Amino acid sequence: MADPFGLFLGFVALLAVAFLAVYAYYESAGAPAPVRTRHGLTPGRSAVAVAVGVGLAVLVVAVGGRVSFEAVLASRRYALRVGLWVVVVVGACEAVAGGYGFARRWLRCRPDRVDATGRVEAGTTAVSGTVTDDYAAAAPVTGRTAVCWSWSVSVTGPGLRRYDEDDPHRTVDGGTGGCPFVLDDGTGPLCVDPTDATLAVDGERSVVRRPDSAPPDGFVDPAPSVEADYADRPREYTEAVLRPGETATVWGAVVSDDDGPVLRGPRTTIVAGSPAGVARRYRRRAAGYALAGIAGGAVGVLGLLWSVGGL
Protein backbone atom coordinates (compact mmCIF):
# COMPACT_ATOMS: atom_id res chain seq x y z
CA MET A 1 0.00 0.00 0.00
CA ALA A 2 1.34 3.43 -0.92
CA ASP A 3 2.48 5.78 1.80
CA PRO A 4 -0.22 8.47 2.22
CA PHE A 5 2.37 11.09 3.10
CA GLY A 6 4.39 10.20 0.01
CA LEU A 7 1.30 10.44 -2.17
CA PHE A 8 0.53 13.82 -0.67
CA LEU A 9 4.03 15.07 -1.42
CA GLY A 10 3.77 13.75 -4.97
CA PHE A 11 0.45 15.56 -5.45
CA VAL A 12 1.95 18.80 -4.12
CA ALA A 13 4.93 18.38 -6.46
CA LEU A 14 2.62 17.93 -9.46
CA LEU A 15 0.68 21.04 -8.51
CA ALA A 16 3.93 22.98 -8.17
CA VAL A 17 5.11 21.83 -11.61
CA ALA A 18 1.78 22.76 -13.20
CA PHE A 19 1.73 26.16 -11.51
CA LEU A 20 5.29 27.00 -12.56
CA ALA A 21 4.62 25.88 -16.14
CA VAL A 22 1.53 28.10 -16.39
CA TYR A 23 3.45 30.97 -14.80
CA ALA A 24 6.31 30.55 -17.30
CA TYR A 25 3.84 30.48 -20.20
CA TYR A 26 2.14 33.73 -19.28
CA GLU A 27 5.41 35.45 -18.33
CA SER A 28 6.84 34.56 -21.73
CA ALA A 29 3.65 35.52 -23.57
CA GLY A 30 3.57 38.88 -21.79
CA ALA A 31 7.22 39.71 -22.46
CA PRO A 32 8.14 42.23 -25.18
CA ALA A 33 8.14 40.53 -28.58
CA PRO A 34 11.85 41.08 -29.42
CA VAL A 35 12.87 39.68 -26.03
CA ARG A 36 10.44 36.76 -26.21
CA THR A 37 11.80 35.36 -29.49
CA ARG A 38 15.50 36.21 -29.10
CA HIS A 39 16.49 32.84 -27.67
CA GLY A 40 14.45 30.53 -29.91
CA LEU A 41 11.67 30.18 -27.35
CA THR A 42 7.91 30.47 -27.55
CA PRO A 43 5.53 30.63 -24.57
CA GLY A 44 4.69 26.95 -25.08
CA ARG A 45 8.32 25.84 -25.27
CA SER A 46 9.21 27.89 -22.23
CA ALA A 47 6.36 26.34 -20.23
CA VAL A 48 7.36 22.80 -21.26
CA ALA A 49 11.00 23.49 -20.39
CA VAL A 50 10.08 24.75 -16.92
CA ALA A 51 7.78 21.77 -16.30
CA VAL A 52 10.44 19.28 -17.43
CA GLY A 53 13.16 21.02 -15.43
CA VAL A 54 11.21 21.18 -12.18
CA GLY A 55 9.86 17.64 -12.69
CA LEU A 56 13.39 16.32 -13.29
CA ALA A 57 14.66 18.07 -10.17
CA VAL A 58 11.82 16.62 -8.08
CA LEU A 59 12.49 13.16 -9.50
CA VAL A 60 16.22 13.40 -8.73
CA VAL A 61 15.51 14.44 -5.16
CA ALA A 62 12.83 11.77 -4.67
CA VAL A 63 14.81 8.87 -6.16
CA GLY A 64 18.44 9.72 -5.52
CA GLY A 65 18.35 11.95 -2.48
CA ARG A 66 18.13 11.52 1.23
CA VAL A 67 16.27 14.65 2.21
CA SER A 68 16.03 15.61 5.83
CA PHE A 69 13.01 17.83 6.30
CA GLU A 70 14.37 18.92 9.64
CA ALA A 71 17.52 20.12 7.92
CA VAL A 72 15.50 21.94 5.28
CA LEU A 73 13.44 23.74 7.88
CA ALA A 74 16.40 24.48 10.13
CA SER A 75 18.94 25.57 7.53
CA ARG A 76 18.21 28.42 5.14
CA ARG A 77 21.57 27.83 3.46
CA TYR A 78 20.64 24.21 2.72
CA ALA A 79 17.37 25.24 1.10
CA LEU A 80 19.08 27.94 -0.96
CA ARG A 81 21.71 25.48 -2.18
CA VAL A 82 19.06 23.00 -3.31
CA GLY A 83 17.07 25.83 -4.91
CA LEU A 84 20.15 27.02 -6.79
CA TRP A 85 20.68 23.65 -8.43
CA VAL A 86 16.99 23.44 -9.32
CA VAL A 87 17.35 26.79 -11.11
CA VAL A 88 20.39 25.43 -12.99
CA VAL A 89 18.41 22.38 -14.13
CA VAL A 90 15.47 24.51 -15.27
CA GLY A 91 17.81 26.90 -17.09
CA ALA A 92 19.41 23.96 -18.85
CA CYS A 93 16.01 22.75 -20.04
CA GLU A 94 15.25 26.25 -21.32
CA ALA A 95 18.54 26.19 -23.26
CA VAL A 96 17.66 22.84 -24.84
CA ALA A 97 14.22 24.20 -25.77
CA GLY A 98 15.90 27.24 -27.33
CA GLY A 99 18.20 24.94 -29.30
CA TYR A 100 15.15 23.06 -30.55
CA GLY A 101 13.59 26.35 -31.65
CA PHE A 102 16.70 27.38 -33.56
CA ALA A 103 16.92 23.92 -35.15
CA ARG A 104 13.36 24.33 -36.45
CA ARG A 105 14.29 27.71 -37.94
CA TRP A 106 17.39 26.21 -39.56
CA LEU A 107 15.37 23.43 -41.17
CA ARG A 108 12.85 25.94 -42.53
CA CYS A 109 15.37 28.31 -44.16
CA ARG A 110 17.90 25.88 -45.64
CA PRO A 111 18.76 26.99 -49.19
CA ASP A 112 17.48 23.71 -50.70
CA ARG A 113 14.04 24.41 -49.22
CA VAL A 114 13.67 27.97 -50.50
CA ASP A 115 11.15 28.57 -53.28
CA ALA A 116 11.17 31.25 -55.98
CA THR A 117 9.17 34.35 -55.05
CA GLY A 118 7.45 34.44 -58.43
CA ARG A 119 6.27 30.84 -58.35
CA VAL A 120 4.89 30.27 -54.85
CA GLU A 121 1.50 28.68 -54.31
CA ALA A 122 -0.89 28.65 -51.38
CA GLY A 123 0.52 26.75 -48.42
CA THR A 124 3.65 26.76 -46.32
CA THR A 125 6.78 28.06 -48.02
CA ALA A 126 10.16 29.73 -47.53
CA VAL A 127 11.42 32.45 -49.86
CA SER A 128 14.29 34.89 -50.09
CA GLY A 129 14.93 38.01 -52.12
CA THR A 130 15.52 41.73 -52.14
CA VAL A 131 13.07 44.10 -50.45
CA THR A 132 11.83 46.46 -53.15
CA ASP A 133 11.17 50.15 -52.60
CA ASP A 134 7.51 49.91 -53.67
CA TYR A 135 6.27 50.30 -50.08
CA ALA A 136 7.90 51.64 -46.92
CA ALA A 137 7.09 53.52 -43.75
CA ALA A 138 8.87 55.43 -40.98
CA ALA A 139 10.18 53.36 -38.07
CA PRO A 140 8.73 54.66 -34.78
CA VAL A 141 11.96 55.19 -32.81
CA THR A 142 14.49 56.60 -35.29
CA GLY A 143 12.22 57.61 -38.16
CA ARG A 144 14.27 55.58 -40.66
CA THR A 145 12.58 54.40 -43.85
CA ALA A 146 11.84 50.71 -43.36
CA VAL A 147 9.32 47.99 -44.17
CA CYS A 148 9.34 46.34 -40.73
CA TRP A 149 11.00 46.84 -37.37
CA SER A 150 11.32 45.58 -33.83
CA TRP A 151 11.92 47.74 -30.79
CA SER A 152 12.26 47.52 -27.03
CA VAL A 153 12.56 50.10 -24.27
CA SER A 154 14.42 49.76 -20.99
CA VAL A 155 14.29 52.06 -17.99
CA THR A 156 17.06 52.99 -15.57
CA GLY A 157 16.43 54.01 -11.99
CA PRO A 158 16.08 52.85 -8.39
CA GLY A 159 13.20 50.71 -7.24
CA LEU A 160 12.59 48.85 -10.51
CA ARG A 161 13.47 45.51 -8.96
CA ARG A 162 14.41 46.22 -5.36
CA TYR A 163 14.35 49.51 -3.54
CA ASP A 164 17.87 49.03 -2.19
CA GLU A 165 19.36 48.80 -5.70
CA ASP A 166 20.98 52.00 -6.90
CA ASP A 167 20.80 51.78 -10.68
CA PRO A 168 18.87 48.79 -12.06
CA HIS A 169 18.13 48.46 -15.77
CA ARG A 170 14.98 46.66 -16.91
CA THR A 171 13.21 46.15 -20.23
CA VAL A 172 9.64 47.29 -19.70
CA ASP A 173 8.06 47.19 -23.16
CA GLY A 174 8.69 46.32 -26.79
CA GLY A 175 7.02 45.32 -30.00
CA THR A 176 7.18 44.89 -33.74
CA GLY A 177 5.56 46.63 -36.66
CA GLY A 178 5.75 47.40 -40.33
CA CYS A 179 3.79 47.61 -43.54
CA PRO A 180 3.14 45.05 -46.28
CA PHE A 181 6.17 44.97 -48.57
CA VAL A 182 7.33 43.24 -51.73
CA LEU A 183 10.10 40.65 -51.91
CA ASP A 184 11.63 39.74 -55.27
CA ASP A 185 14.42 37.28 -56.13
CA GLY A 186 14.26 38.05 -59.85
CA THR A 187 11.50 35.58 -60.68
CA GLY A 188 8.64 37.86 -59.69
CA PRO A 189 7.29 39.81 -56.71
CA LEU A 190 5.71 38.34 -53.58
CA CYS A 191 3.85 40.44 -51.02
CA VAL A 192 4.80 39.87 -47.37
CA ASP A 193 2.68 41.16 -44.49
CA PRO A 194 4.79 41.54 -41.28
CA THR A 195 1.78 41.88 -38.97
CA ASP A 196 2.19 39.44 -36.04
CA ALA A 197 5.37 38.03 -37.62
CA THR A 198 8.51 37.01 -35.72
CA LEU A 199 11.32 39.38 -36.73
CA ALA A 200 15.09 39.04 -36.62
CA VAL A 201 16.35 42.15 -38.40
CA ASP A 202 19.54 44.23 -38.35
CA GLY A 203 20.46 47.89 -38.36
CA GLU A 204 20.10 48.24 -34.60
CA ARG A 205 20.22 51.75 -33.15
CA SER A 206 19.47 53.17 -29.71
CA VAL A 207 17.82 56.41 -28.66
CA VAL A 208 18.06 57.62 -25.04
CA ARG A 209 15.37 59.91 -23.71
CA ARG A 210 16.33 61.89 -20.64
CA PRO A 211 13.78 63.21 -18.13
CA ASP A 212 11.97 66.26 -19.46
CA SER A 213 13.88 66.14 -22.76
CA ALA A 214 12.31 66.85 -26.14
CA PRO A 215 11.76 63.81 -28.38
CA PRO A 216 14.40 63.35 -31.10
CA ASP A 217 13.59 63.76 -34.79
CA GLY A 218 11.47 60.89 -36.11
CA PHE A 219 10.41 59.63 -32.68
CA VAL A 220 6.67 58.90 -32.64
CA ASP A 221 6.32 57.51 -29.11
CA PRO A 222 5.70 53.76 -29.62
CA ALA A 223 5.16 53.23 -25.89
CA PRO A 224 3.05 56.09 -24.48
CA SER A 225 2.43 54.24 -21.22
CA VAL A 226 6.19 54.02 -20.60
CA GLU A 227 6.59 57.72 -21.32
CA ALA A 228 3.80 58.50 -18.87
CA ASP A 229 4.94 56.15 -16.08
CA TYR A 230 8.71 56.71 -16.29
CA ALA A 231 9.00 60.31 -17.46
CA ASP A 232 11.31 61.06 -14.52
CA ARG A 233 13.83 58.37 -15.50
CA PRO A 234 16.10 57.76 -18.51
CA ARG A 235 14.48 55.54 -21.16
CA GLU A 236 16.57 53.73 -23.75
CA TYR A 237 14.79 52.69 -26.94
CA THR A 238 16.53 50.09 -29.11
CA GLU A 239 15.28 49.54 -32.65
CA ALA A 240 16.24 47.22 -35.52
CA VAL A 241 14.84 47.62 -39.03
CA LEU A 242 14.58 45.96 -42.42
CA ARG A 243 15.00 48.55 -45.18
CA PRO A 244 14.33 48.61 -48.93
CA GLY A 245 17.24 47.19 -50.89
CA GLU A 246 18.21 44.66 -48.21
CA THR A 247 18.04 40.90 -48.55
CA ALA A 248 15.57 38.98 -46.39
CA THR A 249 14.57 35.37 -45.88
CA VAL A 250 10.93 34.76 -45.01
CA TRP A 251 8.91 31.65 -44.27
CA GLY A 252 5.32 31.02 -43.28
CA ALA A 253 1.93 30.47 -44.89
CA VAL A 254 0.96 31.88 -48.29
CA VAL A 255 -2.69 32.77 -48.80
CA SER A 256 -4.48 33.96 -51.91
CA ASP A 257 -5.61 37.58 -51.90
CA ASP A 258 -7.43 39.73 -54.46
CA ASP A 259 -4.08 41.07 -55.66
CA GLY A 260 -2.32 37.69 -55.66
CA PRO A 261 -0.49 35.51 -53.13
CA VAL A 262 0.47 37.03 -49.77
CA LEU A 263 2.78 35.53 -47.16
CA ARG A 264 1.32 36.45 -43.77
CA GLY A 265 0.04 35.21 -40.42
CA PRO A 266 1.34 34.67 -36.88
CA ARG A 267 3.62 31.82 -38.02
CA THR A 268 5.50 34.11 -40.40
CA THR A 269 9.20 34.66 -39.66
CA ILE A 270 11.22 37.45 -41.30
CA VAL A 271 15.00 37.34 -41.00
CA ALA A 272 17.54 39.72 -42.51
CA GLY A 273 20.09 37.97 -44.74
CA SER A 274 20.40 35.31 -47.41
CA PRO A 275 19.24 31.71 -46.81
CA ALA A 276 22.81 30.39 -46.60
CA GLY A 277 23.86 32.94 -44.00
CA VAL A 278 20.64 32.63 -42.00
CA ALA A 279 20.78 28.81 -42.01
CA ARG A 280 24.41 28.85 -40.90
CA ARG A 281 23.60 31.26 -38.07
CA TYR A 282 20.69 29.17 -36.77
CA ARG A 283 22.59 25.90 -37.12
CA ARG A 284 25.36 27.24 -34.91
CA ARG A 285 22.89 28.61 -32.37
CA ALA A 286 20.97 25.33 -32.26
CA ALA A 287 24.16 23.37 -31.58
CA GLY A 288 25.44 25.88 -29.04
CA TYR A 289 22.20 26.09 -27.06
CA ALA A 290 21.73 22.30 -27.10
CA LEU A 291 25.29 21.58 -25.93
CA ALA A 292 25.07 24.26 -23.24
CA GLY A 293 21.74 22.85 -22.08
CA ILE A 294 22.98 19.27 -21.91
CA ALA A 295 26.16 20.26 -20.06
CA GLY A 296 24.23 22.54 -17.70
CA GLY A 297 21.67 19.83 -17.04
CA ALA A 298 24.35 17.31 -16.14
CA VAL A 299 26.03 19.77 -13.78
CA GLY A 300 22.68 20.68 -12.22
CA VAL A 301 21.66 17.07 -11.62
CA LEU A 302 25.06 16.21 -10.07
CA GLY A 303 24.93 19.33 -7.92
CA LEU A 304 21.42 18.46 -6.80
CA LEU A 305 22.41 14.90 -5.92
CA TRP A 306 25.39 16.20 -3.98
CA SER A 307 23.22 18.70 -2.08
CA VAL A 308 20.61 16.12 -1.03
CA GLY A 309 23.11 13.40 -0.15
CA GLY A 310 22.74 11.24 -3.23
CA LEU A 311 26.48 11.25 -4.00
Side-chain angles (χ1 to χ4, degrees), residues 247-264:
T247 299
T249 301
V250 186
W251 60 90
V254 175
V255 298
S256 296
D257 204 343
D258 293 339
D259 297 325
V262 180
L263 205 165
R264 67 183 179 198

Side-chain angles (χ1 to χ4, degrees), residues 195-280:
T195 305
D196 298 327
T198 297
L199 304 182
V201 292
D202 299 325
E204 187 172 286
R205 289 187 187 177
S206 295
V207 170
V208 177
R209 293 212 58 191
R210 302 290 179 184
D212 303 321
S213 65
D217 293 339
F219 186 84
V220 296
D221 195 5
S225 61
V226 173
E227 291 297 302
D229 295 339
Y230 301 102
D232 59 337
R233 300 176 181 180
R235 291 90 65 199
E236 182 179 7
Y237 288 83
T238 301
E239 179 188 72
V241 300
L242 180 66
R243 311 186 71 179
E246 295 182 342
T247 299
T249 301
V250 186
W251 60 90
V254 175
V255 298
S256 296
D257 204 343
D258 293 339
D259 297 325
V262 180
L263 205 165
R264 67 183 179 198
R267 296 185 179 276
T268 302
T269 301
I270 303 172
V271 185
S274 64
V278 172
R280 182 168 56 250

Side-chain angles (χ1 to χ4, degrees), residues 113-165:
R113 297 194 174 189
V114 174
D115 299 323
T117 57
R119 293 192 290 269
V120 297
E121 299 178 354
T124 303
T125 189
V127 295
S128 182
T130 301
V131 178
T132 71
D133 57 3
D134 295 342
Y135 305 96
V141 174
T142 61
R144 290 176 290 175
T145 300
V147 295
C148 58
W149 50 80
S150 64
W151 61 272
S152 62
V153 54
S154 56
V155 177
T156 302
L160 291 175
R161 292 192 179 96
R162 291 172 49 189
Y163 287 97
D164 57 348
E165 290 181 341

Side-chain angles (χ1 to χ4, degrees), residues 81-102:
R81 186 169 67 241
V82 172
L84 172 64
W85 291 118
V86 171
V87 171
V88 171
V89 172
V90 172
C93 291
E94 290 271 15
V96 172
Y100 169 76
F102 285 127

